Amino acid sequence: MASSWPVHRADCLFNEFLAGSQIVRPFRHPCLWGAILWLGLAASASADPELYQESREAQRSQAELQASIDAADDEARAMLEELRELERAERRLTRENAELAPRNERLAETLDRREAALDTLAETREALPVLQERLIERLEQWVDGDMPFLREERLARVASLRSQGDELSSAERWERIVSAWRAELDYGREVDAWRGYLGEGDSRREVDYLRLGRVGFYYLTPDGRAGRVWRADSGSWAPLDEAERREVRNGLRIARDRRSPELLTLPITQPVEQSREDDA
């Protein structure tokens, strides 16, 4: 009975307060009712310590459970973000693979061709010396049948390809052969002028040569009174008249950068079509 005294005593005091104040109308203040209810609960809790302890433990368990739920939510969100990142990486890799697929196919084809070339490498090495000798022979024939300009220099270039054959490696000999062919091809695209000698013995004399690619080959005497053009069809020199010698003089000045380039009217050494075939 002693444990319920505070609650009973509070009810009595409240009734006496209402009676002493002569309050006859209904009590309509919720806040005051809440305070009274709290006082009652506090009194009940103080009256029963075990119930109060169980309430505190329940609140603690609820807080721990909420913390576990929050931690699980954070872990789930992190896993979801990681999954989204993996999906983005997968889409990026798929796109890159699609872009690299054509390149990989080309590389595979190149490797196949190289493997095929390696399979025939031994046969190719055996055939190289024969092919090199054929190229040298053809170059020599070309020089012999071409216009007679710088003949000694050109024939010496061909002869060096044979004389140094044993001293050079296969790659170095190829480089020399290709260089000689390139020099001959360049002659067909150049305009050149130089002073040299014509004839042998007592008839040997100094002249000025003019070469227009492989289309025209001319010479003038230093005094300009005599001049000729090489005729490929007859393999001999043909005389030039005064107007043609004047054109040759203009060509010499142009080749020596003493005159601006201009159109020259001259007889040609060989037909243009034949010259194009030779250059090809």
Side-chain angles (χ1 to χ4, degrees):
M1 295 300 293
S3 60
S4 61
W5 182 88
V7 177
H8 178 71
R9 183 59 179 167
D11 291 341
C12 294
L13 292 174
F14 181 67
N15 291 333
E16 291 177 1
F17 172 75
L18 293 177
S21 302
Q22 299 180 354
I23 298 176
V24 295
R25 58 186 176 179
F27 190 70
R28 298 180 180 179
H29 294 279
C31 294
L32 188 57
W33 280 111
I36 295 172
L37 179 61
W38 180 82
L39 289 174
L41 292 175
S44 299
S46 60
D48 193 350
E50 294 181 358
L51 181 62
Y52 176 75
Q53 184 66 24
E54 292 178 357
S55 176
R56 292 293 300 273
E57 292 179 355
Q59 293 178 358
R60 188 181 302 109
S61 299
Q62 182 68 23
E64 293 176 354
L65 179 61
Q66 185 63 41
S68 299
I69 293 173
D70 294 340
D73 289 342
D74 293 340
E75 184 178 0
R77 281 191 291 270
M79 294 177 64
L80 180 60
E81 182 61 29
E82 184 179 358
L83 178 61
R84 290 174 178 173
E85 182 63 27
L86 291 175
E87 290 177 349
R88 289 192 291 268
E90 181 184 5
R91 290 193 295 269
R92 183 173 62 255
L93 290 175
T94 302
R95 184 174 60 254
E96 292 177 355
N97 289 335
E99 294 174 353
L100 292 175
R103 180 182 178 185
N104 292 335
E105 293 178 359
R106 292 192 297 270
L107 290 176
E109 293 176 356
T110 302
L111 290 176
D112 292 339
R113 290 194 299 268
R114 291 182 178 179
E115 289 179 357
L118 290 175
D119 294 338
T120 60
L121 183 59
E123 299 177 0
T124 303
R125 285 179 175 174
E126 294 178 358
L128 281 179
V130 178
L131 179 58
Q132 290 175 349
E133 188 60 31
R134 288 178 181 175
L135 288 174
I136 295 174
E137 290 178 359
R138 185 175 177 183
L139 184 61
E140 187 176 17
Q141 293 172 2
W142 190 9
V143 174
D144 286 337
D146 197 13
M147 298 185 302
F149 65 91
L150 305 177
R151 182 179 293 274
E152 294 180 358
E153 175 184 334
R154 296 161 67 193
L155 290 175
R157 185 186 297 120
V158 176
S160 67
L161 297 177
R162 288 196 174 97
S163 63
Q164 298 178 354
D166 298 334
E167 302 174 1
L168 302 176
S169 64
S170 180
E172 291 173 341
R173 195 181 188 199
W174 266 117
E175 185 178 356
R176 295 286 183 87
I177 293 173
V178 172
S179 178
W181 272 94
R182 185 179 294 113
E184 288 294 328
L185 292 175
D186 289 341
Y187 286 140
R189 304 180 180 91
E190 297 174 349
V191 176
D192 194 11
W194 70 97
R195 176 161 291 189
Y197 291 95
L198 178 66
E200 299 292 339
D202 296 337
S203 62
R204 182 180 177 87
R205 56 180 173 171
E206 193 176 48
V207 295
D208 291 319
Y209 288 104
L210 173 65
R211 180 178 59 82
L212 304 178
R214 281 192 167 85
V215 176
F217 186 36
Y218 317 90
Y219 77 81
L220 282 180
T221 57
D223 57 11
R225 294 181 180 180
R228 292 179 180 270
V229 57
W230 178 260
R231 294 292 188 180
D233 52 357
S234 62
S236 61
W237 294 99
L240 297 173
D241 58 27
E242 176 59 31
E244 293 169 343
R245 292 197 301 271
R246 185 168 54 251
E247 291 293 301
V248 171
R249 282 195 294 270
N250 293 335
L252 290 170
R253 295 189 184 97
I254 293 172
R256 292 166 177 168
D257 295 329
R258 298 176 183 175
R259 186 184 180 95
S260 301
E262 62 182 37
L263 182 64
L264 299 176
T265 304
L266 286 168
I268 60 177
T269 294
Q270 57 187 355
V272 177
E273 293 298 328
Q274 181 180 351
S275 177
R276 290 178 179 174
E277 292 176 0
D278 292 340
D279 290 345

